[in-house]
Amino acid sequence: MNELGLEKLRKTTKIKLIIMSLSTLLPIIILLTMDLIPNINQNSALPDLIIFRYGILALLEGYIGVKIYIYIRILANNDFAEAEVIKRNDERNKYIKMKSYAMTIKVSLYLLGIALIVTAFINRMIFYTLLGVLLAGLIVYFIELIYYANKY
């Protein structure tokens, strides 16, 4: 096993573990802060949206918990760390991730465009918000496209 790759994995895992441990608090702090701020519009906090917010919080905290568990296993178990190095350096896995990320970004931009058309008939504020998100996504996409076209 490549000791250099294993040590690099352990070093980055320690940093990620610290960041993820601290990031468990951020969603909770944001949610509690937003709950304590009085609503300007009393109709904005519908009961089903409150349940949805706490559901998203639970999913986010669950995801962070799984990541923390994996990082602790990497640091504690040498065999698991070696398997993780092999998995992360596998060219097939890297290729699959690269292709799926690219497709996900393209589909997300298309879906944002469709949502933009639909919201144009419903609400002006949502329309402009989605327009900003779509434009930001397109700008990042084209900057990366130009960067990688020049790099390779």
Side-chain angles (χ1 to χ4, degrees):
M1 174 57 24
N2 186 358
E3 286 298 319
L4 183 62
L6 194 58
E7 287 305 313
K8 182 180 176 186
L9 175 68
R10 286 209 166 106
K11 182 179 176 184
T12 58
T13 300
K14 287 178 186 176
I15 295 169
K16 288 179 181 182
L17 182 61
I18 292 168
I19 291 171
M20 284 302 232
S21 297
L22 293 174
S23 68
T24 58
L25 299 174
L26 186 62
I28 295 170
I29 291 170
I30 291 172
L31 190 62
L32 291 177
T33 304
M34 295 304 289
D35 278 344
L36 294 177
I37 295 174
N39 293 333
I40 296 171
N41 181 2
Q42 295 300 327
N43 294 331
S44 65
L46 299 172
D48 56 338
L49 293 180
I50 292 171
I51 293 169
F52 185 72
R53 280 194 314 221
Y54 284 105
I56 294 293
L57 174 71
L59 288 173
L60 185 60
E61 292 295 328
Y63 174 76
I64 292 171
V66 168
K67 294 300 265 185
I68 289 173
Y69 173 73
I70 291 172
Y71 296 150
I72 290 172
R73 272 194 75 188
I74 288 172
L75 294 173
N77 188 340
N78 198 32
D79 293 334
F80 185 79
E82 288 176 0
E84 198 67 24
V85 168
I86 292 170
K87 185 174 100 175
R88 291 184 183 192
N89 291 328
D90 183 33
E91 290 186 19
R92 180 178 178 269
N93 287 340
K94 286 182 179 181
Y95 180 76
I96 291 170
K97 277 186 178 181
M98 183 180 65
K99 286 296 193 178
S100 64
Y101 290 158
M103 182 57 75
T104 301
I105 294 298
K106 289 176 186 175
V107 169
S108 297
L109 290 174
Y110 292 136
L111 291 175
L112 273 172
I114 292 169
L116 189 68
I117 294 168
V118 171
T119 58
F121 297 106
I122 298 171
N123 189 325
R124 182 178 291 207
M125 181 64 84
I126 297 172
F127 172 78
Y128 287 126
T129 303
L130 285 178
L131 180 62
V133 171
L134 181 63
L135 289 176
L138 285 171
I139 289 169
V140 169
Y141 177 76
F142 285 120
I143 287 172
E144 287 181 358
L145 190 67
I146 292 168
Y147 172 77
Y148 285 117
N150 290 331
K151 185 176 179 178
Y152 300 111

